Amino acid sequence: MNAESTAERALGTASSAGASAPIPGSTAVLTIPQTCRLVCVEYPGYVKNVDKMLETVGGEKGVSKTYSDPSRRLELKFRPRDPYCHPVCGNRFPSTNLLLRVRRKVRKGGTGEVRMFMEIMGVVSTTYKFQGMADFQYLAVHTQADGNQISLYDKIILHKPEKKEFFDMDVPLFIPPPIFSRLDTPVDYYYRPEIQHREGYMPPSVSSENLIGQSRARRPHNAIFVTFEDKTVPVEPLEAAVQNWKRVCLHPSETKAEEEMRKMFERRPIWSRNAVKANLDIHPEKLKLLLPYMAYYMLTGPWRSLWVRFGYDPRTVAEAKIYQVLDFRIRCGMKHGYAPNDMPVKAKRSTYNYSLPTTINKAVPQPASLREITQEGSTSLGRKPAPPRYKLKESAYIFREGTLPPYRQMFYQLCDLDVERIKTVIHQNDGQELECDERDGWCLPRTADELRDIMSNMIKQIIRAKRPAPCPAKTKRAAAEPESADEEEGADEDEEEFQPSEGSDNEMETEILDYM
């Protein structure tokens, strides 16, 4: 009930302060409390018992927990004690309603005088509405040969500790679905007639490389891929790559980006994509066309996932050792003492952040920018130059002491590891490089493992310095057993292996797909 309807219903009544008799055509003045904010749940059912109704939505605690998170939907289980009950979800809507309490008193004695008393209990600012279908249910039953159905709840749900005989008894096969439909509202599919059946229709020619699905083929960016076993390296780009870049290089900003990248490769013959993004302000889609025009891509070996200047072969030049890649992954799994919410660096995509059907993820509209509509070079004289729009921070490709990497998995080049202890390990065989190995390149064997250990220990020290002090009980216990604690810590470090961390993203594979 909104404020306007409340005022209309109040016509011809007296205020709650108590008028002696109702005056036709008068209005009631009601005070709206500003402190009492209420939440309305439009329950999809006939309520006879309020306690049982609250149990289906998780009780007051469950509703409060859902209300505290604006991205969550309110779950309602018509069988709250059934673990196989699929909930129906209510959507959250903002509202400006009022909760009005109306009392009607009739004077005894047969005079027929009626007095109305009204009071606004609070303002309803949030309303949960159940608009989806509730027919997605799966019961734990078994159909016998005669057609009768028997319940399996007593056989598959543990209510108390059972002995071995309980688990050895025969139970009918019951496999619940791994996931229900993620959509609980009807969707219009907009069926269209098959155009293949029209008269005069000619099927389009389909290449053998684009037979899966009806989507368009991937736009080729004409990058040249080189493996460590290849005998030679390309000295110039493909003609298609040249034409692709010349086609988009129409504005002075693109010409400037081409000159800057050319100087970058003259100064340093091998670059990672993140390093290029941190030193060059260019749109990512245009970067996909500019890189194949300037360099080739190494697939395997110590320079894998890196872009190499045309004509430069790092396998024949020992000075290319400092440009080798180090695949570093933060060791922050459960075995290293980190809980899911206590990871030093959050994963890009993780199962902990999986979007369930009970959540709402609405895309936020991006505000229009005049800079995007007009040409990039139309700035007037005297105006400050626009800040970089596409540049990454230096932490995206440089590792320094006292800082954490931005991602769980990083592809560092050895020259970008700005730590003196690491540089000493890298240059310990300078002038003695004899052969370029596919695993270690121009470095000594197991150099990459030693660098990972150094970096992991540095990150551990950073995390321990940022952690809060332990509680007094733990401190006293650690002081009582100092030797055993040191031994356990040493054993943990000895057993530590280089493992991919949970939720890490294979950026090299993603980059290859971008340039196919």
Side-chain angles (χ1 to χ4, degrees), residues 33 96 107 180 237 246 351 369 415 473:
T96 55
R107 177 169 294 187
F180 287 90
K246 296 300 182 182
T351 54
S369 175
C415 60

Side-chain angles (χ1 to χ4, degrees), residues 397-401 403 405 412 416-419 422 455 458:
Y397 77 104
I398 296 179
F399 179 79
R400 290 188 174 93
E401 191 168 1
T403 59
Y412 289 113
D416 295 327
L417 301 177
D418 192 9
V419 180
I422 293 178
M455 297 171 66
M458 294 173 60

Side-chain angles (χ1 to χ4, degrees), residues 151-184:
S151 175
L152 299 178
Y153 287 97
D154 295 335
K155 298 181 180 180
I156 61 179
I157 299 179
L158 292 177
H159 300 283
K160 60 180 181 179
E162 299 287 351
K163 296 182 180 179
K164 183 177 180 296
E165 290 77 11
F166 176 84
F167 301 97
D168 292 339
M169 65 179 183
D170 295 334
V171 180
L173 182 62
F174 173 71
I175 304 178
I179 188 172
F180 287 90
S181 174
R182 294 180 61 86
L183 300 177
D184 55 358

Side-chain angles (χ1 to χ4, degrees), residues 5-296:
S5 60
T6 303
E8 293 175 358
R9 291 175 181 269
L11 292 174
T13 62
S15 66
S16 59
S20 59
I23 302 175
S26 65
T27 61
V29 179
L30 303 178
T31 303
I32 299 178
Q34 300 296 330
T35 57
C36 185
R37 297 286 177 175
L38 303 176
V39 177
C40 174
V41 178
E42 296 184 358
Y43 194 81
Y46 181 67
V47 179
K48 292 184 178 181
N49 190 314
V50 178
D51 294 335
K52 291 184 178 180
M53 181 272 295
L54 284 176
E55 185 182 2
T56 59
V57 292
E60 294 184 4
K61 183 178 180 181
V63 177
S64 301
K65 184 178 180 180
T66 303
Y67 176 75
S68 63
D69 187 357
S71 64
R72 288 193 62 84
R73 306 168 75 192
L74 181 62
E75 294 187 48
L76 187 151
K77 295 184 177 180
F78 289 105
R79 305 186 309 279
R81 300 179 183 178
D82 183 3
Y84 297 102
C85 177
H86 183 63
V88 56
C89 298
N91 297 323
R92 177 170 177 163
F93 295 94
S95 58
T96 55
N97 301 335
L98 303 175
L99 179 62
L100 184 65
R101 180 182 180 184
V102 181
R103 291 181 296 173
R104 179 175 178 269
K105 287 188 177 181
V106 181
R107 177 169 294 187
K108 297 180 181 180
T111 59
E113 183 179 356
V114 179
R115 299 185 64 183
M116 305 292 292
F117 296 87
M118 293 177 295
E119 180 183 2
I120 296 179
M121 307 301 296
V123 179
V124 181
S125 58
T126 302
T127 302
Y128 287 95
K129 300 180 181 181
F130 293 88
Q131 302 172 321
M133 298 180 291
D135 55 353
F136 292 113
Q137 300 298 328
Y138 197 85
L139 303 177
V141 297
H142 175 66
T143 305
Q144 296 180 332
D146 55 358
N148 295 328
Q149 292 182 338
I150 58 174
S151 175
L152 299 178
Y153 287 97
D154 295 335
K155 298 181 180 180
I156 61 179
I157 299 179
L158 292 177
H159 300 283
K160 60 180 181 179
E162 299 287 351
K163 296 182 180 179
K164 183 177 180 296
E165 290 77 11
F166 176 84
F167 301 97
D168 292 339
M169 65 179 183
D170 295 334
V171 180
L173 182 62
F174 173 71
I175 304 178
I179 188 172
F180 287 90
S181 174
R182 294 180 61 86
L183 300 177
D184 55 358
T185 55
V187 178
D188 293 330
Y189 285 96
Y190 298 105
Y191 291 107
R192 298 177 182 178
E194 292 287 344
I195 61 175
Q196 291 88 343
H197 298 162
R198 295 180 182 177
E199 184 178 357
Y201 171 77
M202 295 294 294
S205 58
V206 181
S207 63
S208 60
E209 299 178 356
N210 187 31
L211 293 177
I212 300 177
Q214 297 181 356
S215 60
R216 65 169 176 83
R218 181 183 293 272
R219 294 176 180 175
H221 295 114
N222 303 290
I224 301 178
F225 299 99
V226 176
T227 63
F228 187 81
E229 293 79 10
D230 292 341
K231 302 300 183 181
T232 59
V233 296
V235 296
E236 59 182 2
L238 298 176
E239 182 61 28
V242 177
Q243 296 300 327
N244 280 347
W245 174 246
K246 296 300 182 182
R247 177 173 49 85
V248 300
C249 185
L250 303 175
H251 197 268
S253 60
E254 280 85 28
T255 306
K256 181 180 178 181
E258 178 183 347
E259 295 176 357
E260 291 180 358
M261 181 174 286
R262 197 178 299 278
K263 294 179 181 178
M264 288 171 55
F265 276 100
E266 291 176 357
R267 182 176 73 253
R268 172 171 159 179
I270 304 177
W271 290 83
S272 65
R273 186 170 65 166
N274 280 351
V276 173
K277 288 183 176 180
N279 288 272
L280 188 64
D281 186 24
I282 185 174
H283 193 281
E285 293 300 324
K286 294 180 180 178
L287 180 63
K288 293 180 182 179
L289 301 177
L290 181 56
L291 274 174
Y293 176 64
M294 292 288 180
Y296 64 91

